[in-house]
Amino acid sequence: MAVMVKVGVPVLMLMVLLVAAQEQRKYFEIGGKLVLRPEFSGPITSITWKHKGNLVAEWIKDKVPLEYLGDLKGRSELDLTTGTLTVSNMLKDHDGLFTVEINEKVLPGSFNAVGIRNLNQKKVEVIMRPLTCSSEASSCTLDCGEDFRDAGPVQYFWKNGEAGKWESGEKKKVINNDEETRSFKSFTCKAKNPISEKESDPLENPFSKSGGSNTNVVTVMGALDNQQRTGNPQKPRKCWEEVNQSPPLNEGTTMRTCSASSPLGLGGMDIEAAFHTVGEFGPYQKRAVTVLVLAQVYMACQSMLIVLVGYTPEYRIEQQGDGPSSHRELQQHVTFTEDVDSIVTEWVLIKQQAYKVSLAGSLFFTGLLVGNVVFGPLSDKIGRRPVYLTGLFFEVIFGYVTAVAPSYEVFATSRLLVGLMNGGIGLVCFVLTQEYVGKSYWAMTGTLTSMIFAVGIALFGALGYFIRPWRTLATVANSSGVLCFLLSVTLPESPRWLYSQGQTERAEEVLRFIAVRNGNNATNLILQRVGAAKPGSPVRNRGGILQLAVHPVLRLRTMVLMYVWYACSLVYYGLTLGASDTLGSRFVNVAMYGLVELPAYPLCIYFINKTWAGRRKSMASFLCLAGSACLCTMLIPENTGTLLSVTSLALVGKLMVSAAFNIAYVYTSELYPTVIRNAGLGVCSMSCRVGGILAPFVPSMRALHTSMPFTVFCLSGLSAGCLGLLLPETLNRPAAETLEDLSSPRHSRVLESKALLYEEEQWKSNK
């Protein structure tokens, strides 16, 4: 028995080694193609490919036609003469073992597919460790960039000087302050993986005889001048080198000489690199984003409140003589036949007073417009956190005023003030969900915000079903804002806003705060000073809102986008606010008008990243489909079946316009250059609120003709969709940074790498 064990163990190990040798590791680029060529020669009569044991492709000559199966269906292509399998648009989830069977025999060789990132999509640079390495130090460490996530096995190479040869090495390279090292002017690193390689820019040698920090220094203006130029109220850090005691050049300005790697120089990391260090979407950021998106539920309840509390039930008026001559007499002779408690039944808002219900809704949207105009720039000036917390606090206060309003006038005024606060915090809340996380997660958090708002609409419909008295409903819906406020008090200021305002030290404190709660060590995190911008970078304050009217390209884009946003808002809120006027339970209608939005977001993600659709065609198509759905409602009677009814077609229209609205947010931000992007979004948001103000009155046009509201929605959607085709496509094109970029030739050509919404769905570009 012992002899068998002694013999069996080596045999087993040999079999394992043979199997491993027959398994070929095949790397592919995430979003790219995977080509698997089996080692087989001769005629082929049958082929079967499997991935992780599941069928991918199968063909038997004269018996079974070629068929693609499984998750890779639609991506696979099989060459029947060589047996080569080509799979496009490979994702990280497609890792795993591929096996092939040819002529009913399993080939001994298999492929272990591993997806990795292309290094050309990563930032490769030489980073000094520590960042304050000076010529007096005995040694320093060079680091070849940050960690390359999902880049697979990465090899590192280093080159000393410009004429040096590449030598294989580790990610980190220690350089000593000796005679040999001082003879090199720079150091360059190169990262290489099985599918790509990328070289960094040379980093100046801090110990160099001719270019070190002893002689080649960065001239930085003194403390007073630095504060004036950057607007930073914090005290600037002292230079690593001694302050030159020479007389000041100008009053309040001194000359300081600092090494290029000092905190005041260019050695600090930028804000995106800092997020890679602290965590782009760590546990703490997930909790913070959760609090902010839950606030969307509260804001959705406030937006939809008038739909249920302003419901008009059936009623009859007891005629006496010529009828009631005044509203007070009307109150004495009207009888509501439905058991409904709303502002209509309490203040008898019927006949000549019926407009007040729509007026309350319009006042809310008027507040939204003013809130966007006032609180948006205010948050850019004094900070995101104070504006968000102050707006949320007062919205809760005014929300309770709505619930206890003794008269219609107080109720309408409170709705205006609630809308004012809602418009302000809605914009700031959306921005905070972006600025708390790394840039690669912006699309996800932005889409999540819109989705939770739709869920909030559905939850409000369910809440209204269980709570019928309108004052109680308003109180309970508003109480969720108290919870959101208590959870939001602990949120920090946006580190991106602090950094943009020159408050670099406070930004570092917030980033370290996030890093600690993410479980990362960022005690030595130092940001590049705002005053140390790279030469040739765009001027931050250039542009101005007047450029939207003066610049010929921006003028056309702004006019078209303003109408598109107006139409989206009019149709979106008009169909939603008209939910109580359609047949069936008003509570179910409100809930369905919220839930129907949810499929819109995966539709957006799918279409806008396809070359044959893109942003422009997708937005225009969804708008036209929304208008067409509203057109169809006028062609069928209202008492038709549940499958094809006015309500179901209105829900389809709401789905389509929700998709168009979501694309408009992404598309608009890409159409405006960075220097004027916020101004462009602000103007479009203003036109959006105009549509929201008019939306409550459109359903009331049913009194003129039953098809009148849908006629307005139809014409708005179709006209906006056609006008949207005048805009340029932004898919596969670089984002403009300055106004000059709008006329630059490089912004009119298609890039090789696509501008994608989600990093996980990057496809390999067409060659």
Side-chain angles (χ1 to χ4, degrees), residues 245-361:
Q245 299 299 327
S246 58
L249 296 178
N250 298 302
E251 183 178 357
T253 305
T254 60
M255 182 70 70
R256 296 172 152 216
T257 54
C258 310
S259 70
S261 57
S262 68
L264 193 58
L266 302 178
M269 63 180 69
D270 60 21
I271 193 69
E272 289 303 329
F275 270 101
H276 281 286
T277 302
V278 304
E280 289 192 281
F281 197 48
Y284 178 78
Q285 288 141 305
K286 292 177 182 178
R287 291 193 294 269
V289 170
T290 300
V291 172
L292 293 170
V293 298
L294 286 178
Q296 296 294 322
V297 176
Y298 169 67
M299 286 185 279
C301 291
Q302 291 295 345
S303 300
M304 299 299 298
L305 185 69
I306 194 65
V307 177
L308 295 185
V309 304
Y311 175 70
T312 302
E314 297 291 334
Y315 62 89
R316 68 172 183 270
I317 301 175
E318 299 176 2
Q319 297 289 339
Q320 292 184 355
D322 295 334
S325 59
S326 65
H327 183 64
R328 180 166 296 181
E329 280 188 40
L330 179 65
Q331 291 177 328
Q332 298 174 354
H333 295 89
V334 67
T335 301
F336 291 96
T337 57
E338 293 183 61
D339 185 17
V340 173
D341 181 25
S342 68
I343 62 172
V344 176
T345 60
E346 181 166 340
W347 294 313
V348 192
L349 303 179
I350 59 175
K351 295 294 184 178
Q352 291 83 359
Q353 301 293 318
Y355 76 93
K356 291 184 176 180
V357 178
S358 299
L359 177 61

Side-chain angles (χ1 to χ4, degrees), residues 667-697:
Y667 192 26
T668 302
S669 64
E670 294 177 348
L671 284 171
Y672 285 109
T674 301
V675 294
I676 204 170
R677 187 166 293 142
N678 287 336
L681 286 170
V683 170
C684 292
S685 181
M686 287 175 58
S687 63
C688 166
R689 300 313 172 192
V690 173
I693 292 171
L694 298 178
F697 291 100

